Amino acid sequence: MSAYSIEGYGVALALRSSKTILVEGPSDKRVLSRLILQHDIRKGQRTRFVIDEVALISNDENLSCKGSKEKVELIASALEKLSSKLNWLVDREWEGIDLDADPMQFHVPPARAWGRRTKGHSIENYWFRDKFLSDYLKMFFGETLTFDFFNALSERFDSIIRIAAAYSFASKRLGTLSRSIGLVKAVHLDWTGDSYIVRQSLNVALKTRGCDEDLAAAVNAELEKSSIRNASIAVLQWLCHGHLGEEMIRACAAQLARASGCSDETVEAIERGARAEKMAHDVDRLAELDIEQVEPLGDLISWLE
């Protein structure tokens, strides 16, 4: 399909008989599509809709050099007159969040008349939950991982979320967010007996990407702050960076598998493997929740009706 200009996209929307939701990328589309399917199954009636990724609207100089989130917002602003047929979703990121608050606090974004932002930083934050992680590992590694592993994983989950948040905040403060994607591994982590910490080897890996920042020290310093130590994981779940948070959560689980005597192959698979399968699992679990529990995504589903 040819790329649209903003004006051309508006014409296409006006000609459609069904409503459209505009999103940043494929992950958002996959999550919403699965949630809508489950909603339709529950009510026994099909919802007619279209979900468009913003990459579809790329033939417009007004969108040049803009990120996906900004593109969605610019397009929505330009086409607000079509709000009865178009709605949109973007990542909240850290909008309205004070990363220096002590303790860290989280407030649900205020309701909007049109358009939605994710509850937490990104779409991934919805599945930063103990049971989602353990159920995924049981499904794919149940023949390898033991009762003791899952017992320890549950006991450590609080610490896992805290270091995922600390890693996110440190990367933001140092300006290393983009270079940190795909960086952290199980070998970069230590379990002290009551918490996870980052090893200096993380800096060695970061240096291969042309960055000399002391990310390891920055993460460990964040962990010592009362703002993180005193925050509940119910708050920190939503404040983690979507990609970095997920990677750290998986790396911590992989570190535990490594310490439990699992093979390098299993450790690597837990750490970074089967990304599509893991997402499918997590989204499927998310779809089991009532739409009221996945706000504001539920609002978008209700708007389609």
Side-chain angles (χ1 to χ4, degrees), residues 68-134:
S68 295
K69 178 179 179 179
E70 189 175 1
K71 287 180 180 179
V72 171
E73 293 173 332
L74 285 170
I75 294 165
S77 178
L79 301 179
E80 189 169 1
K81 63 184 179 181
L82 293 171
S83 59
S84 63
K85 303 194 74 172
L86 173 69
N87 216 323
W88 49 276
L89 173 72
V90 295
D91 287 342
R92 180 184 185 182
E93 298 179 348
W94 284 300
E95 289 184 20
I97 302 296
D98 180 3
L99 296 184
D100 294 313
D102 189 1
M104 295 298 301
Q105 298 178 0
F106 172 77
H107 302 287
V108 176
R112 301 171 59 90
W114 183 56
R116 295 292 183 271
R117 286 172 171 76
T118 54
K119 179 178 178 179
H121 182 280
S122 306
I123 205 83
E124 290 84 1
N125 296 69
Y126 285 94
W127 50 81
F128 290 179
R129 307 166 192 248
D130 184 359
K131 188 165 177 55
F132 280 36
L133 177 62
S134 62

Side-chain angles (χ1 to χ4, degrees), residues 232-252:
S232 73
I233 60 169
V235 166
L236 295 178
Q237 169 192 349
W238 302 107
L239 301 184
C240 296
H241 185 279
H243 295 307
L244 297 190
E246 174 142 35
E247 289 174 3
M248 178 58 81
I249 290 169
R250 294 188 69 172
C252 288

Side-chain angles (χ1 to χ4, degrees), residues 99-105 158-167 169 173 192 194-197 219-236 239:
L99 296 184
D100 294 313
D102 189 1
M104 295 298 301
Q105 298 178 0
D158 184 285
S159 295
I160 290 173
I161 292 295
R162 292 187 196 284
I163 195 169
Y167 183 46
F169 303 159
R173 296 186 201 279
T192 67
D194 58 10
S195 64
Y196 276 104
I197 60 172
V219 175
N220 292 334
E222 290 284 342
L223 284 169
E224 290 300 314
K225 292 181 178 179
S226 59
S227 58
I228 287 185
R229 286 191 285 107
N230 294 334
S232 73
I233 60 169
V235 166
L236 295 178
L239 301 184

